[in-house]
Amino acid sequence: MSITYFRRLHYSRLPLRCLHTANSEPTSTSTSTPNLFSDPLFKSKVSELISNQHWSQLKDLIKPFNPTSFLEQLLDSRFDSSSILGFFRWSQFYQVYHHPLEHLCRVLVLLVNDKKYPKVRSLLHDFVKNGKTYTVSSVFHTLLTCSDNVCANSIIVDMLVLSYVNNGKLDLALEAFRRAGDYGFKLSVFSCKPMLKGVVKEGKFEVGELVYKEMIRRRIEVDLYTFNIVINGLCKAGKLNKARDVMEDMKVRGIMPNEVTYNTLIDGYCKRGGDGKMYKADALLREMMEQGVSPNERTYNTLIDGFCKDDNVGAAIKLFKEMQLQGMRPDIVTFNSLIDGLFGDGKVDEALGLRAEMIRLGLEPNIRTYNVMINGFSKLKMFREAKELFDDVMKQGLDLNVLTFNTVIDAHSKAGKMEEAVALRELMLSKLICPTISTYNCLLGGYYRDGNVGAAKELLEEMEKKSVMTDLVTYNIRIDAMCKRGESRKAVRLLDEMSEKRLVPSHVTYNILMAGYCQDGNPKAAVTIRKRMEKEGKQPNIVTYNVLIKGFCQKDKLEEANALLNEMLEKGLVPNRITYDIIREEMIDKGFVPDIDGHLYKDTVNC
DNA sequence: TTAGGGTTAG
């Protein structure tokens, strides 16, 4: 029996409306279309051609038909789901044909009913990646018109959310998550977990928190990994108390925190824990041990790095020894953190000793090690050593990156060697390493330090021309330079320019401006900046107090300076070396007497 | 499936 036979046989039976060309605009056909498969021979031939993937023969056979009508007939005639999927895919990919959403939903329902989940996932993936973009509500609505099976529909929607996430369409995933309940679809942890992960990765912590709350409200199972993602999001948002609450919640729900949970929280405290953060982070280490959760290398690395950045290398070294006593081997991350901390503490010999120690243990210094060391030398004004190390790294043929160049450019600009700094930028360009805004900021700071306002202006113009986006640091550098030139009032006007560029001034910005006014001999104007800062929701920090106290001291307004010192102590801010070395000493010289709590009193007898 | 280290501004 030839194909021509089938064509002749059925061509005559077809209603005119089905005789479209294959690539005509798809339309959903009505149920009044005659059944093409009433002839068992035709049905069996089609079935055979599809299952054997004889697509050219099938194409020949159904040439006169609209593929959408043909698909609808296949669906109505209860063909097996594999055949229907086979035809669906073939017609879509080889005939560039977009079937109506309704047909896709019907195919999906069929596949779910047959428990062919990988095929559902694959079809949805293609639909999301390559298909026409439908609104979430149109997909949900169409699905409901095709099937009233809540379970099957929920599986499809769950997999749809996952496809949105996997194809970078997080907004659509979130909308689907939000609207699923309205349509009676129940999502699972399989889609919510990757969605949460994506949300946290994009820094949308508030959204992540809402998703978590909604998961709990909708009684969607939350597993250990999902709790860890939620805790990570809260930690990154600085909501450490809430992160701890979630850890308690998980225990109540019978899920015990693991080392990842604790490591995430410890990292949160190290980076955003505020006053006494390292005490709290260390307490968490002890707590996890008491709870029978063993710390690992990452736990110690996180704490060691935290202590180093908190100017407490002593505590970091103690943990370094503790981890080794417990049988853990420090790795490259441990050493890099410690070397950075030791340089920051001015302990160059110990830092170099650690580098030797890591090499002895078979750990090769990596580019981060070198960046830390170049930066360390530079901060200690050991510019010759910084340059020698950089040259050494170049000779070794290690992969230098943009941070290496930024570090070494900054070292040169701080040493007042602007010609070399500019030459280094040329060198990085020749190595196809693209300068970042930090590269420009390092150069800009160098020019201003040199008093070369003209070169700084030219660089700013170049940045504008090249559409380099200026950032908060660029403005802080510009504001600082203006203040140092005695143009504090002009510098304040840059705050408006920042606002136009949607840049939010930081503590550093305000502190620079306050220091500018104090340097101008106008601490009262500095206080107005403080008020502006507080209005923006930023409380004065230790630097703010140091700047203001110094400003009042220099004007011999010691009562005001003392009031600020007391205010700082009452707020629980711990005076730092600058407070003691420069300010308090100056006040004591001028007749103030310190007491055991750090407060100062006017010595009326000796004054 | 989840967690750690390097640059620029006070």
Side-chain angles (χ1 to χ4, degrees):
Chain A
M1 208 177 290
S2 71
I3 295 289
T4 326
Y5 164 81
F6 283 104
R7 195 183 294 157
R8 205 169 44 237
L9 177 72
H10 295 283
Y11 197 88
S12 58
R13 287 185 193 174
L14 282 171
L16 278 175
R17 62 193 300 272
C18 289
L19 301 178
H20 296 305
T21 55
N23 287 323
S24 62
E25 186 62 25
T27 48
S28 181
T29 54
S30 76
T31 48
S32 62
T33 311
N35 187 357
L36 295 174
F37 300 109
S38 53
D39 184 332
L41 281 174
F42 182 72
K43 187 174 180 179
S44 133
K45 187 66 194 175
V46 167
S47 186
E48 181 199 325
L49 292 177
I50 294 176
S51 58
N52 292 324
Q53 301 186 23
H54 291 158
W55 302 119
S56 58
Q57 289 179 45
L58 184 74
K59 191 176 178 182
D60 207 25
L61 177 67
I62 66 163
K63 212 169 192 173
F65 311 148
N66 175 333
T68 288
S69 315
F70 192 78
L71 175 64
E72 188 169 11
Q73 295 274 339
L74 284 175
L75 285 160
D76 290 344
S77 306
R78 296 175 184 258
F79 262 70
D80 65 288
S81 58
S82 295
S83 295
I84 290 175
L85 178 67
F87 177 77
F88 184 89
R89 282 198 172 286
W90 170 72
S91 59
Q92 247 191 347
F93 295 114
Y94 295 94
Q95 296 200 270
V96 198
Y97 200 93
H98 290 287
H99 292 293
L101 188 56
E102 181 197 338
H103 291 177
L104 169 75
C105 289
R106 287 180 70 183
V107 175
L108 288 167
V109 171
L110 265 181
L111 290 168
V112 167
N113 286 338
D114 280 355
K115 300 196 186 332
K116 290 173 176 165
Y117 303 126
K119 287 184 171 157
V120 177
R121 269 193 288 272
S122 161
L123 198 53
L124 280 167
H125 175 85
D126 292 334
F127 166 67
V128 169
K129 194 179 176 190
N130 309 314
K132 221 165 111 179
T133 308
Y134 290 97
T135 61
V136 166
S137 55
S138 68
V139 178
F140 283 7
H141 182 78
T142 312
L143 188 59
L144 270 188
T145 60
C146 297
S147 153
D148 56 4
N149 182 339
V150 177
C151 190
N153 290 351
S154 294
I155 291 171
I156 292 168
V157 171
D158 211 38
M159 290 182 180
L160 175 70
V161 170
L162 193 63
S163 292
Y164 282 141
V165 174
N166 290 340
N167 284 287
K169 297 181 177 176
L170 207 53
D171 287 345
L172 285 175
L174 283 165
E175 197 193 335
F177 172 78
R178 269 193 292 267
R179 304 211 59 186
D182 303 339
Y183 288 80
F185 306 137
K186 195 172 185 322
L187 295 176
S188 80
V189 72
F190 292 110
S191 66
C192 293
K193 186 168 39 182
M195 185 176 66
L196 255 175
K197 194 182 162 190
V199 164
V200 169
K201 203 175 169 190
E202 283 198 2
K204 296 176 177 170
F205 306 123
E206 302 281 331
V207 179
E209 203 181 336
L210 287 174
V211 169
Y212 165 66
K213 282 182 184 161
E214 192 58 20
M215 282 176 77
I216 298 286
R217 195 187 68 77
R218 291 193 210 164
R219 296 186 183 166
I220 297 170
E221 176 214 355
V222 182
D223 61 13
L224 173 62
Y225 294 136
T226 315
F227 273 116
N228 286 345
I229 295 169
V230 173
I231 290 172
N232 187 27
L234 289 166
C235 285
K236 297 275 186 300
K239 295 180 177 176
L240 295 161
N241 289 336
K242 278 194 179 169
R244 280 218 72 143
D245 289 346
V246 171
M247 187 163 85
E248 293 310 313
D249 277 355
M250 64 193 275
K251 285 184 195 164
V252 170
R253 288 164 198 277
I255 297 173
M256 296 316 285
N258 68 351
E259 69 281 9
V260 177
T261 323
Y262 276 104
N263 288 353
T264 309
L265 260 172
I266 287 172
D267 186 56
Y269 276 101
C270 286
K271 293 197 172 73
R272 297 167 196 89
D275 294 334
K277 59 183 188 177
M278 290 316 296
Y279 174 79
K280 292 172 196 163
D282 194 57
L284 271 169
L285 169 70
R286 309 300 152 196
E287 182 189 310
M288 76 189 277
M289 285 167 160
E290 278 166 21
Q291 298 284 320
V293 181
S294 301
N296 58 19
E297 283 84 353
R298 280 198 179 199
T299 323
Y300 279 97
N301 284 353
T302 306
L303 279 160
I304 286 170
D305 191 61
F307 275 118
C308 285
K309 288 196 168 58
D310 200 42
D311 296 327
N312 191 350
V313 191
I317 295 283
K318 216 170 146 189
L319 284 174
F320 176 61
K321 287 176 183 160
E322 184 180 308
M323 77 186 281
Q324 290 173 94
L325 277 174
Q326 294 201 6
M328 276 171 255
R329 285 188 63 176
D331 61 13
I332 187 92
V333 179
T334 330
F335 281 101
N336 286 350
S337 291
L338 280 169
I339 292 171
D340 194 23
L342 287 166
F343 264 108
D345 209 21
K347 294 174 175 163
V348 180
D349 288 342
E350 286 178 47
L352 295 178
L354 267 188
R355 186 181 65 159
E357 168 83 1
M358 70 188 276
I359 292 169
R360 197 183 58 80
L361 289 172
L363 292 165
E364 272 300 306
N366 62 12
I367 191 64
R368 288 188 184 212
T369 321
Y370 289 111
N371 288 348
V372 159
M373 292 181 70
I374 294 168
N375 186 47
F377 282 130
S378 164
K379 286 267 163 62
L380 294 169
K381 298 191 190 302
M382 297 167 75
F383 300 117
R384 188 175 51 82
E385 287 82 353
K387 178 72 172 52
E388 277 172 9
L389 188 58
F390 174 75
D391 291 342
D392 193 33
V393 177
M394 286 265 288
K395 266 186 222 154
Q396 280 187 49
L398 269 172
D399 274 340
L400 305 174
N401 60 25
V402 68
L403 296 181
T404 324
F405 276 99
N406 288 350
T407 306
V408 79
I409 285 172
D410 189 57
H412 281 82
S413 86
K414 283 200 169 80
K417 294 179 175 172
M418 289 310 293
E419 274 183 26
E420 286 93 331
V422 172
L424 281 161
R425 188 180 62 152
E426 297 304 315
L427 181 63
M428 75 189 280
L429 282 169
S430 74
K431 289 185 175 293
L432 302 178
I433 297 170
C434 195
T436 61
I437 181 60
S438 301
T439 320
Y440 284 97
N441 288 342
C442 293
L443 290 168
L444 198 63
Y447 284 134
Y448 282 129
R449 267 188 299 270
D450 253 13
N452 194 347
V453 182
K457 201 179 160 203
E458 272 176 33
L459 188 67
L460 283 167
E461 282 165 4
E462 183 194 321
M463 289 163 76
E464 175 107 32
K465 213 168 149 188
K466 288 185 176 167
S467 300
V468 178
M469 287 282 281
T470 50
D471 67 0
L472 173 67
V473 179
T474 320
Y475 275 94
N476 288 346
I477 292 168
R478 287 179 65 193
I479 290 171
D480 187 48
M482 279 185 181
C483 288
K484 288 203 167 86
R485 293 202 300 270
E487 298 171 349
S488 302
R489 286 181 67 164
K490 201 172 152 191
V492 174
R493 289 207 286 274
L494 280 181
L495 290 178
D496 298 328
E497 199 179 306
M498 288 177 76
S499 167
E500 281 164 23
K501 292 192 177 176
R502 297 192 175 183
L503 289 170
V504 182
S506 64
H507 271 100
V508 179
T509 322
Y510 291 113
N511 290 343
I512 291 170
L513 282 166
M514 285 180 234
Y517 275 128
C518 288
Q519 185 200 277
D520 294 347
N522 192 358
K524 277 191 178 171
V527 172
T528 62
I529 298 290
R530 173 194 164 165
K531 283 180 184 158
R532 185 166 174 173
M533 178 175 95
E534 285 173 321
K535 216 172 150 188
E536 295 295 325
K538 288 184 174 60
Q539 290 307 305
N541 63 15
I542 184 76
V543 182
T544 318
Y545 281 107
N546 285 350
V547 166
L548 290 173
I549 294 169
K550 191 176 173 187
F552 280 110
C553 262
Q554 284 170 340
K555 292 290 284 180
D556 278 335
K557 302 211 169 189
L558 301 180
E559 295 295 341
E560 282 95 334
N562 196 31
L564 281 163
L565 185 64
N566 286 335
E567 184 187 315
M568 181 175 101
L569 294 169
E570 275 155 26
K571 279 191 176 174
L573 288 172
V574 184
N576 63 13
R577 210 168 48 219
I578 295 172
T579 327
Y580 276 109
D581 291 357
I582 302 168
I583 302 158
R584 278 180 95 247
E585 288 305 315
E586 194 170 334
M587 289 175 71
I588 290 163
D589 280 351
K590 287 180 177 171
F592 278 76
V593 178
D595 74 356
I596 198 161
D597 301 321
H599 291 269
L600 292 171
Y601 292 96
K602 187 86 178 164
D603 186 350
T604 46
V605 179
N606 296 322
C607 233

